[in-house]
Amino acid sequence: KRLRAFVPAFCCLIIFFDGYDVSVFGATAPELLKYPQWDLDAAEVGGIASLGLIGLLLGALLCGFATDLLGRKRMVIFCTSWFSVFMLACAAAPTSELFGLFRFLGGVGLGGVIPVCIALAVGFMNNQQQILSSGVFVGLAVTVREELLAQSTGNRGIGTLGGVIVRNATSMTSE
């Protein structure tokens, strides 16, 4: 019975960090434009943003297939571990090229998180909860995340915080 409440709540938390990463880029793009070591223009920052979205698409396609083979729980753990590692890598990226690569690779994990988490959470809900959760589940995570992002700590600080929290939460559930 405790799992019926814990699993959907935990999946909502994971989706929160999925969107956290996506929103963070938009909040920190102006700082990337001002970062003198990389000397990026708006087109280059847009290209890096696109790399993350291409990774999301690829991840969504690949993770659906992999979930059928490996199972939902394993894929949730894998996807959250994957994207948290690359969030941390983005925070430490020494060049804009590596930053773009890490955004792409992180996007692959992010792309699998929402569909896998929703599928996992729905398995622990009764019919009424499933109907209610269709909009509330993702909407709650997005709303809370956006409120917390109102006060930004900068590109590296936000990426580091998100990566550490998600990685720690994932490692606790995989034990």
Side-chain angles (χ1 to χ4, degrees), residues 87-125:
M87 282 176 77
L88 291 170
C90 282
T95 67
S96 61
E97 293 81 10
L98 283 175
F99 183 71
L101 175 65
F102 297 152
R103 291 284 306 158
F104 171 77
L105 293 172
V108 173
L110 288 167
V113 168
I114 289 179
V116 175
C117 279
I118 290 174
L120 180 64
V122 166
F124 285 87
M125 298 177 180

PDB file of all heavy atoms in Angstrom, residues 87-125:
ATOM      1  N   MET A  87      23.795  16.321 -16.530  1.00  0.00           N
ATOM      2  CA  MET A  87      23.540  17.657 -15.972  1.00  0.00           C
ATOM      3  C   MET A  87      24.802  18.144 -15.248  1.00  0.00           C
ATOM      4  O   MET A  87      25.201  19.298 -15.380  1.00  0.00           O
ATOM      5  CB  MET A  87      22.361  17.631 -15.000  1.00  0.00           C
ATOM      6  CG  MET A  87      20.999  17.602 -15.665  1.00  0.00           C
ATOM      7  SD  MET A  87      19.651  17.464 -14.468  1.00  0.00           S
ATOM      8  CE  MET A  87      19.572  19.132 -13.860  1.00  0.00           C
ATOM      9  N   LEU A  88      25.406  17.233 -14.475  1.00  0.00           N
ATOM     10  CA  LEU A  88      26.645  17.584 -13.784  1.00  0.00           C
ATOM     11  C   LEU A  88      27.762  17.876 -14.788  1.00  0.00           C
ATOM     12  O   LEU A  88      28.552  18.803 -14.597  1.00  0.00           O
ATOM     13  CB  LEU A  88      27.064  16.455 -12.840  1.00  0.00           C
ATOM     14  CG  LEU A  88      26.170  16.259 -11.618  1.00  0.00           C
ATOM     15  CD1 LEU A  88      26.529  14.967 -10.900  1.00  0.00           C
ATOM     16  CD2 LEU A  88      26.286  17.456 -10.685  1.00  0.00           C
ATOM     17  N   ALA A  89      27.819  17.079 -15.845  1.00  0.00           N
ATOM     18  CA  ALA A  89      28.839  17.301 -16.874  1.00  0.00           C
ATOM     19  C   ALA A  89      28.660  18.671 -17.524  1.00  0.00           C
ATOM     20  O   ALA A  89      29.650  19.358 -17.807  1.00  0.00           O
ATOM     21  CB  ALA A  89      28.787  16.185 -17.915  1.00  0.00           C
ATOM     22  N   CYS A  90      27.421  19.072 -17.757  1.00  0.00           N
ATOM     23  CA  CYS A  90      27.173  20.405 -18.329  1.00  0.00           C
ATOM     24  C   CYS A  90      27.706  21.491 -17.395  1.00  0.00           C
ATOM     25  O   CYS A  90      28.290  22.480 -17.848  1.00  0.00           O
ATOM     26  CB  CYS A  90      25.676  20.622 -18.559  1.00  0.00           C
ATOM     27  SG  CYS A  90      25.029  19.795 -20.024  1.00  0.00           S
ATOM     28  N   ALA A  91      27.497  21.312 -16.108  1.00  0.00           N
ATOM     29  CA  ALA A  91      27.955  22.316 -15.144  1.00  0.00           C
ATOM     30  C   ALA A  91      29.473  22.439 -15.145  1.00  0.00           C
ATOM     31  O   ALA A  91      30.014  23.497 -14.832  1.00  0.00           O
ATOM     32  CB  ALA A  91      27.457  21.966 -13.745  1.00  0.00           C
ATOM     33  N   ALA A  92      30.172  21.367 -15.497  1.00  0.00           N
ATOM     34  CA  ALA A  92      31.638  21.370 -15.471  1.00  0.00           C
ATOM     35  C   ALA A  92      32.264  21.477 -16.862  1.00  0.00           C
ATOM     36  O   ALA A  92      33.486  21.430 -16.981  1.00  0.00           O
ATOM     37  CB  ALA A  92      32.126  20.099 -14.790  1.00  0.00           C
ATOM     38  N   ALA A  93      31.453  21.610 -17.893  1.00  0.00           N
ATOM     39  CA  ALA A  93      31.975  21.612 -19.265  1.00  0.00           C
ATOM     40  C   ALA A  93      32.989  22.737 -19.465  1.00  0.00           C
ATOM     41  O   ALA A  93      32.665  23.902 -19.246  1.00  0.00           O
ATOM     42  CB  ALA A  93      30.834  21.745 -20.268  1.00  0.00           C
ATOM     43  N   PRO A  94      34.188  22.382 -19.926  1.00  0.00           N
ATOM     44  CA  PRO A  94      35.209  23.416 -20.127  1.00  0.00           C
ATOM     45  C   PRO A  94      35.062  24.188 -21.446  1.00  0.00           C
ATOM     46  O   PRO A  94      35.604  25.280 -21.583  1.00  0.00           O
ATOM     47  CB  PRO A  94      36.513  22.618 -20.130  1.00  0.00           C
ATOM     48  CG  PRO A  94      36.129  21.262 -20.601  1.00  0.00           C
ATOM     49  CD  PRO A  94      34.722  21.040 -20.108  1.00  0.00           C
ATOM     50  N   THR A  95      34.332  23.617 -22.405  1.00  0.00           N
ATOM     51  CA  THR A  95      34.153  24.285 -23.698  1.00  0.00           C
ATOM     52  C   THR A  95      32.685  24.244 -24.106  1.00  0.00           C
ATOM     53  O   THR A  95      31.921  23.399 -23.642  1.00  0.00           O
ATOM     54  CB  THR A  95      34.978  23.592 -24.806  1.00  0.00           C
ATOM     55  OG1 THR A  95      34.448  22.283 -25.031  1.00  0.00           O
ATOM     56  CG2 THR A  95      36.458  23.509 -24.436  1.00  0.00           C
ATOM     57  N   SER A  96      32.325  25.121 -25.013  1.00  0.00           N
ATOM     58  CA  SER A  96      30.945  25.136 -25.490  1.00  0.00           C
ATOM     59  C   SER A  96      30.629  23.880 -26.301  1.00  0.00           C
ATOM     60  O   SER A  96      29.491  23.412 -26.293  1.00  0.00           O
ATOM     61  CB  SER A  96      30.675  26.392 -26.323  1.00  0.00           C
ATOM     62  OG  SER A  96      31.519  26.440 -27.456  1.00  0.00           O
ATOM     63  N   GLU A  97      31.629  23.325 -26.980  1.00  0.00           N
ATOM     64  CA  GLU A  97      31.412  22.100 -27.758  1.00  0.00           C
ATOM     65  C   GLU A  97      31.064  20.928 -26.838  1.00  0.00           C
ATOM     66  O   GLU A  97      30.136  20.165 -27.124  1.00  0.00           O
ATOM     67  CB  GLU A  97      32.651  21.759 -28.608  1.00  0.00           C
ATOM     68  CG  GLU A  97      32.941  22.747 -29.711  1.00  0.00           C
ATOM     69  CD  GLU A  97      33.682  24.011 -29.247  1.00  0.00           C
ATOM     70  OE1 GLU A  97      34.156  24.054 -28.094  1.00  0.00           O
ATOM     71  OE2 GLU A  97      33.760  24.951 -30.045  1.00  0.00           O
ATOM     72  N   LEU A  98      31.812  20.794 -25.752  1.00  0.00           N
ATOM     73  CA  LEU A  98      31.500  19.728 -24.792  1.00  0.00           C
ATOM     74  C   LEU A  98      30.168  19.998 -24.104  1.00  0.00           C
ATOM     75  O   LEU A  98      29.401  19.071 -23.846  1.00  0.00           O
ATOM     76  CB  LEU A  98      32.616  19.584 -23.756  1.00  0.00           C
ATOM     77  CG  LEU A  98      33.853  18.860 -24.246  1.00  0.00           C
ATOM     78  CD1 LEU A  98      34.951  18.876 -23.183  1.00  0.00           C
ATOM     79  CD2 LEU A  98      33.519  17.437 -24.645  1.00  0.00           C
ATOM     80  N   PHE A  99      29.881  21.253 -23.831  1.00  0.00           N
ATOM     81  CA  PHE A  99      28.597  21.606 -23.235  1.00  0.00           C
ATOM     82  C   PHE A  99      27.453  21.151 -24.147  1.00  0.00           C
ATOM     83  O   PHE A  99      26.491  20.539 -23.691  1.00  0.00           O
ATOM     84  CB  PHE A  99      28.535  23.120 -22.991  1.00  0.00           C
ATOM     85  CG  PHE A  99      27.280  23.585 -22.322  1.00  0.00           C
ATOM     86  CD1 PHE A  99      27.033  23.306 -20.986  1.00  0.00           C
ATOM     87  CD2 PHE A  99      26.330  24.313 -23.025  1.00  0.00           C
ATOM     88  CE1 PHE A  99      25.875  23.748 -20.365  1.00  0.00           C
ATOM     89  CE2 PHE A  99      25.177  24.762 -22.414  1.00  0.00           C
ATOM     90  CZ  PHE A  99      24.953  24.477 -21.079  1.00  0.00           C
ATOM     91  N   GLY A 100      27.574  21.411 -25.442  1.00  0.00           N
ATOM     92  CA  GLY A 100      26.557  20.973 -26.404  1.00  0.00           C
ATOM     93  C   GLY A 100      26.445  19.460 -26.457  1.00  0.00           C
ATOM     94  O   GLY A 100      25.336  18.916 -26.498  1.00  0.00           O
ATOM     95  N   LEU A 101      27.577  18.767 -26.450  1.00  0.00           N
ATOM     96  CA  LEU A 101      27.564  17.309 -26.444  1.00  0.00           C
ATOM     97  C   LEU A 101      26.868  16.778 -25.194  1.00  0.00           C
ATOM     98  O   LEU A 101      26.029  15.872 -25.273  1.00  0.00           O
ATOM     99  CB  LEU A 101      28.992  16.753 -26.524  1.00  0.00           C
ATOM    100  CG  LEU A 101      29.123  15.237 -26.409  1.00  0.00           C
ATOM    101  CD1 LEU A 101      28.460  14.539 -27.601  1.00  0.00           C
ATOM    102  CD2 LEU A 101      30.594  14.840 -26.276  1.00  0.00           C
ATOM    103  N   PHE A 102      27.184  17.354 -24.045  1.00  0.00           N
ATOM    104  CA  PHE A 102      26.565  16.906 -22.796  1.00  0.00           C
ATOM    105  C   PHE A 102      25.070  17.215 -22.777  1.00  0.00           C
ATOM    106  O   PHE A 102      24.284  16.452 -22.222  1.00  0.00           O
ATOM    107  CB  PHE A 102      27.266  17.527 -21.588  1.00  0.00           C
ATOM    108  CG  PHE A 102      28.712  17.136 -21.448  1.00  0.00           C
ATOM    109  CD1 PHE A 102      29.616  17.988 -20.833  1.00  0.00           C
ATOM    110  CD2 PHE A 102      29.191  15.923 -21.931  1.00  0.00           C
ATOM    111  CE1 PHE A 102      30.949  17.637 -20.688  1.00  0.00           C
ATOM    112  CE2 PHE A 102      30.521  15.563 -21.797  1.00  0.00           C
ATOM    113  CZ  PHE A 102      31.406  16.424 -21.176  1.00  0.00           C
ATOM    114  N   ARG A 103      24.669  18.335 -23.375  1.00  0.00           N
ATOM    115  CA  ARG A 103      23.231  18.651 -23.473  1.00  0.00           C
ATOM    116  C   ARG A 103      22.531  17.591 -24.320  1.00  0.00           C
ATOM    117  O   ARG A 103      21.442  17.139 -23.991  1.00  0.00           O
ATOM    118  CB  ARG A 103      23.006  20.036 -24.103  1.00  0.00           C
ATOM    119  CG  ARG A 103      23.427  21.199 -23.272  1.00  0.00           C
ATOM    120  CD  ARG A 103      22.509  21.551 -22.155  1.00  0.00           C
ATOM    121  NE  ARG A 103      21.152  21.744 -22.624  1.00  0.00           N
ATOM    122  CZ  ARG A 103      20.080  21.652 -21.850  1.00  0.00           C
ATOM    123  NH1 ARG A 103      20.191  21.383 -20.580  1.00  0.00           N
ATOM    124  NH2 ARG A 103      18.884  21.823 -22.348  1.00  0.00           N
ATOM    125  N   PHE A 104      23.154  17.214 -25.425  1.00  0.00           N
ATOM    126  CA  PHE A 104      22.576  16.179 -26.285  1.00  0.00           C
ATOM    127  C   PHE A 104      22.468  14.849 -25.538  1.00  0.00           C
ATOM    128  O   PHE A 104      21.402  14.220 -25.528  1.00  0.00           O
ATOM    129  CB  PHE A 104      23.426  16.001 -27.550  1.00  0.00           C
ATOM    130  CG  PHE A 104      23.016  14.803 -28.366  1.00  0.00           C
ATOM    131  CD1 PHE A 104      21.893  14.854 -29.164  1.00  0.00           C
ATOM    132  CD2 PHE A 104      23.733  13.615 -28.303  1.00  0.00           C
ATOM    133  CE1 PHE A 104      21.489  13.754 -29.911  1.00  0.00           C
ATOM    134  CE2 PHE A 104      23.347  12.509 -29.042  1.00  0.00           C
ATOM    135  CZ  PHE A 104      22.220  12.573 -29.843  1.00  0.00           C
ATOM    136  N   LEU A 105      23.545  14.423 -24.929  1.00  0.00           N
ATOM    137  CA  LEU A 105      23.536  13.133 -24.222  1.00  0.00           C
ATOM    138  C   LEU A 105      22.578  13.144 -23.033  1.00  0.00           C
ATOM    139  O   LEU A 105      21.882  12.159 -22.779  1.00  0.00           O
ATOM    140  CB  LEU A 105      24.958  12.769 -23.780  1.00  0.00           C
ATOM    141  CG  LEU A 105      25.926  12.474 -24.925  1.00  0.00           C
ATOM    142  CD1 LEU A 105      27.351  12.320 -24.398  1.00  0.00           C
ATOM    143  CD2 LEU A 105      25.496  11.242 -25.699  1.00  0.00           C
ATOM    144  N   GLY A 106      22.532  14.258 -22.313  1.00  0.00           N
ATOM    145  CA  GLY A 106      21.560  14.379 -21.234  1.00  0.00           C
ATOM    146  C   GLY A 106      20.139  14.324 -21.754  1.00  0.00           C
ATOM    147  O   GLY A 106      19.254  13.725 -21.139  1.00  0.00           O
ATOM    148  N   GLY A 107      19.919  14.917 -22.911  1.00  0.00           N
ATOM    149  CA  GLY A 107      18.595  14.892 -23.533  1.00  0.00           C
ATOM    150  C   GLY A 107      18.120  13.492 -23.841  1.00  0.00           C
ATOM    151  O   GLY A 107      16.928  13.195 -23.762  1.00  0.00           O
ATOM    152  N   VAL A 108      19.047  12.599 -24.169  1.00  0.00           N
ATOM    153  CA  VAL A 108      18.667  11.211 -24.433  1.00  0.00           C
ATOM    154  C   VAL A 108      18.011  10.604 -23.190  1.00  0.00           C
ATOM    155  O   VAL A 108      16.956   9.967 -23.281  1.00  0.00           O
ATOM    156  CB  VAL A 108      19.895  10.381 -24.890  1.00  0.00           C
ATOM    157  CG1 VAL A 108      19.539   8.909 -25.008  1.00  0.00           C
ATOM    158  CG2 VAL A 108      20.422  10.903 -26.223  1.00  0.00           C
ATOM    159  N   GLY A 109      18.617  10.811 -22.030  1.00  0.00           N
ATOM    160  CA  GLY A 109      18.012  10.312 -20.785  1.00  0.00           C
ATOM    161  C   GLY A 109      16.727  11.030 -20.435  1.00  0.00           C
ATOM    162  O   GLY A 109      15.745  10.424 -20.009  1.00  0.00           O
ATOM    163  N   LEU A 110      16.716  12.332 -20.640  1.00  0.00           N
ATOM    164  CA  LEU A 110      15.517  13.116 -20.350  1.00  0.00           C
ATOM    165  C   LEU A 110      14.335  12.694 -21.214  1.00  0.00           C
ATOM    166  O   LEU A 110      13.197  12.669 -20.753  1.00  0.00           O
ATOM    167  CB  LEU A 110      15.794  14.603 -20.583  1.00  0.00           C
ATOM    168  CG  LEU A 110      16.694  15.276 -19.570  1.00  0.00           C
ATOM    169  CD1 LEU A 110      17.149  16.632 -20.080  1.00  0.00           C
ATOM    170  CD2 LEU A 110      15.985  15.426 -18.256  1.00  0.00           C
ATOM    171  N   GLY A 111      14.627  12.351 -22.453  1.00  0.00           N
ATOM    172  CA  GLY A 111      13.553  11.958 -23.365  1.00  0.00           C
ATOM    173  C   GLY A 111      12.816  10.713 -22.927  1.00  0.00           C
ATOM    174  O   GLY A 111      11.643  10.533 -23.246  1.00  0.00           O
ATOM    175  N   GLY A 112      13.487   9.841 -22.216  1.00  0.00           N
ATOM    176  CA  GLY A 112      12.844   8.619 -21.750  1.00  0.00           C
ATOM    177  C   GLY A 112      12.138   8.751 -20.423  1.00  0.00           C
ATOM    178  O   GLY A 112      11.284   7.936 -20.080  1.00  0.00           O
ATOM    179  N   VAL A 113      12.459   9.787 -19.665  1.00  0.00           N
ATOM    180  CA  VAL A 113      11.953   9.878 -18.299  1.00  0.00           C
ATOM    181  C   VAL A 113      10.433  10.034 -18.218  1.00  0.00           C
ATOM    182  O   VAL A 113       9.777   9.298 -17.485  1.00  0.00           O
ATOM    183  CB  VAL A 113      12.664  11.018 -17.533  1.00  0.00           C
ATOM    184  CG1 VAL A 113      11.977  11.340 -16.243  1.00  0.00           C
ATOM    185  CG2 VAL A 113      14.092  10.618 -17.256  1.00  0.00           C
ATOM    186  N   ILE A 114       9.867  10.969 -18.939  1.00  0.00           N
ATOM    187  CA  ILE A 114       8.423  11.216 -18.786  1.00  0.00           C
ATOM    188  C   ILE A 114       7.590  10.000 -19.178  1.00  0.00           C
ATOM    189  O   ILE A 114       6.772   9.539 -18.378  1.00  0.00           O
ATOM    190  CB  ILE A 114       7.972  12.484 -19.542  1.00  0.00           C
ATOM    191  CG1 ILE A 114       8.510  13.716 -18.834  1.00  0.00           C
ATOM    192  CG2 ILE A 114       6.446  12.564 -19.623  1.00  0.00           C
ATOM    193  CD1 ILE A 114       8.164  15.022 -19.502  1.00  0.00           C
ATOM    194  N   PRO A 115       7.756   9.423 -20.362  1.00  0.00           N
ATOM    195  CA  PRO A 115       6.904   8.280 -20.693  1.00  0.00           C
ATOM    196  C   PRO A 115       7.125   7.074 -19.780  1.00  0.00           C
ATOM    197  O   PRO A 115       6.168   6.384 -19.405  1.00  0.00           O
ATOM    198  CB  PRO A 115       7.252   7.951 -22.143  1.00  0.00           C
ATOM    199  CG  PRO A 115       8.466   8.721 -22.486  1.00  0.00           C
ATOM    200  CD  PRO A 115       8.615   9.808 -21.491  1.00  0.00           C
ATOM    201  N   VAL A 116       8.371   6.827 -19.393  1.00  0.00           N
ATOM    202  CA  VAL A 116       8.645   5.677 -18.526  1.00  0.00           C
ATOM    203  C   VAL A 116       8.090   5.922 -17.129  1.00  0.00           C
ATOM    204  O   VAL A 116       7.486   5.028 -16.523  1.00  0.00           O
ATOM    205  CB  VAL A 116      10.161   5.359 -18.486  1.00  0.00           C
ATOM    206  CG1 VAL A 116      10.454   4.251 -17.501  1.00  0.00           C
ATOM    207  CG2 VAL A 116      10.654   4.968 -19.873  1.00  0.00           C
ATOM    208  N   CYS A 117       8.262   7.120 -16.600  1.00  0.00           N
ATOM    209  CA  CYS A 117       7.725   7.435 -15.266  1.00  0.00           C
ATOM    210  C   CYS A 117       6.203   7.367 -15.239  1.00  0.00           C
ATOM    211  O   CYS A 117       5.620   6.849 -14.280  1.00  0.00           O
ATOM    212  CB  CYS A 117       8.187   8.813 -14.804  1.00  0.00           C
ATOM    213  SG  CYS A 117       9.841   8.821 -14.128  1.00  0.00           S
ATOM    214  N   ILE A 118       5.579   7.892 -16.255  1.00  0.00           N
ATOM    215  CA  ILE A 118       4.113   7.836 -16.287  1.00  0.00           C
ATOM    216  C   ILE A 118       3.644   6.388 -16.366  1.00  0.00           C
ATOM    217  O   ILE A 118       2.731   5.985 -15.644  1.00  0.00           O
ATOM    218  CB  ILE A 118       3.549   8.689 -17.442  1.00  0.00           C
ATOM    219  CG1 ILE A 118       3.766  10.169 -17.127  1.00  0.00           C
ATOM    220  CG2 ILE A 118       2.068   8.399 -17.666  1.00  0.00           C
ATOM    221  CD1 ILE A 118       3.381  11.108 -18.246  1.00  0.00           C
ATOM    222  N   ALA A 119       4.282   5.594 -17.204  1.00  0.00           N
ATOM    223  CA  ALA A 119       3.901   4.176 -17.304  1.00  0.00           C
ATOM    224  C   ALA A 119       4.116   3.458 -15.978  1.00  0.00           C
ATOM    225  O   ALA A 119       3.273   2.660 -15.552  1.00  0.00           O
ATOM    226  CB  ALA A 119       4.707   3.504 -18.414  1.00  0.00           C
ATOM    227  N   LEU A 120       5.218   3.733 -15.310  1.00  0.00           N
ATOM    228  CA  LEU A 120       5.489   3.091 -14.017  1.00  0.00           C
ATOM    229  C   LEU A 120       4.485   3.535 -12.962  1.00  0.00           C
ATOM    230  O   LEU A 120       3.916   2.711 -12.238  1.00  0.00           O
ATOM    231  CB  LEU A 120       6.915   3.422 -13.560  1.00  0.00           C
ATOM    232  CG  LEU A 120       7.352   2.828 -12.221  1.00  0.00           C
ATOM    233  CD1 LEU A 120       7.388   1.302 -12.312  1.00  0.00           C
ATOM    234  CD2 LEU A 120       8.717   3.363 -11.820  1.00  0.00           C
ATOM    235  N   ALA A 121       4.232   4.825 -12.880  1.00  0.00           N
ATOM    236  CA  ALA A 121       3.319   5.353 -11.865  1.00  0.00           C
ATOM    237  C   ALA A 121       1.891   4.849 -12.071  1.00  0.00           C
ATOM    238  O   ALA A 121       1.214   4.493 -11.100  1.00  0.00           O
ATOM    239  CB  ALA A 121       3.344   6.877 -11.881  1.00  0.00           C
ATOM    240  N   VAL A 122       1.447   4.795 -13.296  1.00  0.00           N
ATOM    241  CA  VAL A 122       0.081   4.346 -13.586  1.00  0.00           C
ATOM    242  C   VAL A 122      -0.128   2.905 -13.131  1.00  0.00           C
ATOM    243  O   VAL A 122      -1.210   2.534 -12.690  1.00  0.00           O
ATOM    244  CB  VAL A 122      -0.238   4.532 -15.091  1.00  0.00           C
ATOM    245  CG1 VAL A 122      -1.478   3.778 -15.510  1.00  0.00           C
ATOM    246  CG2 VAL A 122      -0.409   6.015 -15.393  1.00  0.00           C
ATOM    247  N   GLY A 123       0.922   2.116 -13.186  1.00  0.00           N
ATOM    248  CA  GLY A 123       0.829   0.731 -12.727  1.00  0.00           C
ATOM    249  C   GLY A 123       0.546   0.605 -11.240  1.00  0.00           C
ATOM    250  O   GLY A 123       0.107  -0.451 -10.776  1.00  0.00           O
ATOM    251  N   PHE A 124       0.780   1.658 -10.477  1.00  0.00           N
ATOM    252  CA  PHE A 124       0.545   1.647  -9.037  1.00  0.00           C
ATOM    253  C   PHE A 124      -0.717   2.414  -8.646  1.00  0.00           C
ATOM    254  O   PHE A 124      -0.959   2.648  -7.471  1.00  0.00           O
ATOM    255  CB  PHE A 124       1.756   2.238  -8.301  1.00  0.00           C
ATOM    256  CG  PHE A 124       2.923   1.311  -8.266  1.00  0.00           C
ATOM    257  CD1 PHE A 124       3.838   1.280  -9.298  1.00  0.00           C
ATOM    258  CD2 PHE A 124       3.102   0.442  -7.193  1.00  0.00           C
ATOM    259  CE1 PHE A 124       4.909   0.414  -9.276  1.00  0.00           C
ATOM    260  CE2 PHE A 124       4.168  -0.426  -7.163  1.00  0.00           C
ATOM    261  CZ  PHE A 124       5.082  -0.444  -8.199  1.00  0.00           C
ATOM    262  N   MET A 125      -1.536   2.796  -9.613  1.00  0.00           N
ATOM    263  CA  MET A 125      -2.748   3.574  -9.346  1.00  0.00           C
ATOM    264  C   MET A 125      -3.992   2.776  -9.705  1.00  0.00           C
ATOM    265  O   MET A 125      -3.952   1.940 -10.600  1.00  0.00           O
ATOM    266  CB  MET A 125      -2.736   4.862 -10.193  1.00  0.00           C
ATOM    267  CG  MET A 125      -1.620   5.794  -9.907  1.00  0.00           C
ATOM    268  SD  MET A 125      -1.716   7.196 -11.070  1.00  0.00           S
ATOM    269  CE  MET A 125      -0.331   8.137 -10.558  1.00  0.00           C
TER     270      MET A 125
END
